[in-house]
């Protein structure tokens, strides 16, 4: 990953000019960095700001967090979601009080032993609060690395994450590890965007970014394994739904046909249609296509059922006319109600 060797200087220069002003950056104590990083998991910065301010006002240090009542903690966290994060914060605060006298340990390895602290959070605390040169690798950072280095590895795989983390370890500035990690996060969050077009014209790595040079920004990073597995799982579920609709529609049509006059031709026509949809569903590769099939199936079934009802009513009327005594008015045939829709 030769491109990464060119990154530190232009990245840090860009960060000094473009870093967002955030409260935990303005006062990066270990406690502030820790709480902010936990809050920012799965949550946007803008949503965290108010919660962070209220949390720090109520629980200004590790001791206060360790001693807080659960109800109070949950009220402070209410609206952020993922409540296990709050529970782990309190549990880890207790561990810090018991093991380290209330001060978070200045060791990446020891930070990893705390409840709810993974490799990324430990790297962020260690580098930002303690100046320890270790990378903090999250989704934003993986995306930036994949594009700059033109790395085609699937970033959902642990092996890819480990390899990229090792590459960053080789280039992280010993004198500014915290700023470097925050700059990588900032670049991924504000410039090297995951959705839509990245703002390459604003990127400090544009002159040596391999993905930009090779016109592969839209292809990287790879999210093959988990993304495809998740999508295929949704496809299988939707296919099962279509097949169940086919089965139910055929059953409904057969039931109505058995109660109708001269409906066998319509039943055979419907069977051919339903069998065709069943086979098409098995080969479908799009959720949109499968959703459309369900709508088509139900619409077709209702149309066939209405035609059977009309045919039966017409046949019934004709029979009554043919068999009615002279001068006697025919009785109005009883309408056969349509069978229920299968939703």
């Amino acid at each position: 990953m030769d491109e990464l060797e060119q990154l530190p200087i232009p990245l840090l220069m860009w960060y000094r000019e473009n870093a967002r002003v955030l409260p935990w950056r303005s006062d990066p104590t270990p406690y502030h960095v820790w709480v902010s990083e936990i809050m920012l998991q799965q949550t946007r910065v803008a949503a965290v700001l108010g919660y962070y301010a209220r949390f720090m006002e109520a629980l200004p240090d590790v001791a206060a967090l360790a001693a807080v009542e659960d109800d109070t903690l949950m009220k402070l966290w209410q609206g952020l979601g993922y409540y296990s994060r709050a529970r782990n914060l309190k549990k880890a605060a207790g561990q810090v009080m018991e093991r380290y006298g209330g001060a978070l340990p200045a060791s990446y390895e020891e930070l990893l032993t705390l409840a709810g602290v993974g490799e990324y959070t430990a790297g962020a605390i260690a580098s930002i609060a303690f100046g320890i040169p270790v990378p903090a690798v999250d989704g934003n950072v993986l995306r930036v690395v994949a594009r700059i280095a033109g790395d085609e590895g699937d970033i959902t795989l642990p092996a890819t994450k480990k390899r990229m983390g090792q590459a960053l370890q080789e280039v992280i500035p010993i004198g500014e590890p915290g700023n470097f990690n925050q700059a990588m996060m900032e670049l991924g969050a504000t410039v090297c965007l995951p959705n839509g077009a990245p703002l390459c014209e604003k990127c400090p790595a544009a002159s040596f970014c391999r993905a930009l040079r090779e016109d592969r920004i839209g292809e990287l990073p790879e999210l093959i394994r988990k993304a495809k597995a998740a999508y295929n799982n949704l496809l299988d579920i939707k296919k099962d739904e279509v097949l169940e609709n086919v089965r139910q529609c055929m059953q409904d049509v057969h039931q109505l046909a058995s109660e109708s006059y001269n409906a066998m031709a319509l039943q055979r026509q419907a069977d051919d249609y339903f069998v065709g949809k069943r086979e098409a569903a098995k080969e479908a590769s799009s959720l949109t296509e499968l959703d459309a099939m369900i709508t088509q199936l139900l619409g077709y079934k209702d149309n066939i059922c209405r035609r059977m009802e009309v045919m039966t009513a017409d046949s019934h009327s004709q029979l009554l006319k043919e068999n009615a005594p002279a001068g006697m008015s025919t009785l109005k045939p009883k309408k056969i109600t349509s069978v229920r829709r299968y939703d």
Side-chain angles (χ1 to χ4, degrees):
M1 298 186 182
D2 295 339
E3 291 81 6
L4 290 182
E5 295 178 0
Q6 305 176 59
L7 180 60
I9 293 176
L11 177 66
L12 289 171
M13 291 176 62
W14 171 85
Y15 181 68
R16 292 189 186 102
E17 294 182 3
N18 295 277
R20 290 170 291 180
V21 177
L22 301 171
W24 47 88
R25 287 179 178 170
S26 301
D27 188 15
T29 68
Y31 180 66
H32 291 168
V33 174
W34 172 39
V35 172
S36 68
E37 289 297 340
I38 297 299
M39 284 187 169
L40 287 166
Q41 293 172 6
Q42 307 296 324
T43 310
R44 294 177 298 106
V45 168
V48 165
L49 290 172
Y51 287 95
Y52 176 84
R54 289 190 293 274
F55 194 96
M56 286 302 160
E57 183 177 357
L59 306 173
D61 53 34
V62 174
L65 175 56
V68 68
E69 295 290 335
D70 288 347
D71 288 346
T72 301
L73 178 61
M74 291 300 109
K75 286 179 181 177
L76 288 169
W77 203 268
Q78 189 173 13
L80 276 175
Y82 302 96
Y83 289 91
S84 60
R85 294 183 294 172
R87 288 189 286 270
N88 278 330
L89 267 174
K90 180 180 176 181
K91 182 178 180 181
Q95 293 170 335
V96 172
M97 293 298 296
E98 181 180 346
R99 301 175 190 172
Y100 308 107
L104 271 80
S107 163
Y108 173 78
E109 290 74 20
E110 290 182 70
L111 287 167
L112 281 173
T113 67
L114 301 177
V117 176
E119 292 180 353
Y120 165 75
T121 305
I125 299 170
S127 62
I128 298 169
F130 296 114
I132 300 172
V134 292
V137 183
D138 67 353
N140 280 333
V141 172
L142 289 170
R143 181 171 61 258
V144 171
V145 172
R147 287 174 174 169
I148 291 176
D151 194 308
E152 297 180 350
D154 180 356
I155 65 170
T156 66
L157 295 174
T160 302
K161 182 177 179 180
K162 181 178 180 180
R163 175 163 48 79
M164 290 184 175
Q166 290 172 340
L168 288 171
Q169 183 71 67
E170 295 297 318
V171 301
I172 190 169
I174 295 178
E176 292 190 68
N179 283 339
F180 179 83
N181 283 337
Q182 289 183 101
M184 290 291 287
M185 301 172 203
E186 192 82 348
L187 189 63
T190 63
V191 174
C192 197
L193 304 173
N195 301 312
L199 308 177
C200 296
E201 69 280 2
K202 297 182 179 180
C203 181
S207 63
F208 51 87
C209 175
R210 189 168 177 179
L212 180 60
R213 184 170 68 247
E214 298 176 357
D215 195 23
R216 292 195 297 150
I217 289 293
E219 301 173 14
L220 298 173
E222 292 282 0
L223 297 167
I224 297 173
R225 186 175 64 108
K226 285 187 178 179
K228 282 192 174 181
Y231 189 76
N232 288 336
N233 183 56
L234 290 175
L235 275 180
D236 289 341
I237 293 172
K238 186 61 70 174
K239 285 181 180 181
D240 287 343
E241 185 179 343
V242 173
L243 296 178
E244 177 59 21
N245 272 275
V246 168
R247 186 195 67 78
Q248 187 66 40
C249 285
M250 291 182 74
Q251 179 180 308
D252 289 349
V253 169
H254 285 197
Q255 176 65 30
L256 187 57
S258 70
E259 301 170 355
S260 305
Y261 294 105
N262 300 322
M264 292 306 298
L266 278 178
Q267 179 183 314
R268 286 193 294 271
Q269 177 185 325
D271 284 349
D272 289 343
Y273 177 85
F274 292 139
V275 169
K277 285 297 183 186
R278 182 172 62 198
E279 296 308 309
K282 293 177 182 178
E283 300 299 322
S285 59
S286 163
L287 291 173
T288 302
E289 180 184 1
L290 290 166
D291 278 327
M293 283 186 189
I294 293 175
T295 301
Q296 293 162 4
L297 280 166
L298 295 174
Y300 182 85
K301 182 203 75 171
D302 282 354
N303 180 266
I304 286 289
C305 288
R306 282 193 296 270
R307 291 172 63 186
M308 286 184 177
E309 289 176 349
V310 170
M311 183 181 294
T312 298
D314 290 346
S315 298
H316 195 178
S317 295
Q318 185 62 34
L319 285 171
L320 287 173
K321 286 180 180 179
E322 291 174 357
N323 295 288
M328 181 178 290
S329 62
T330 57
L331 298 173
K332 186 178 181 180
K334 181 180 180 182
K335 178 179 175 62
I336 299 175
T337 57
S338 175
V339 291
R340 65 180 176 83
R341 285 172 64 96
Y342 178 73
D343 295 318

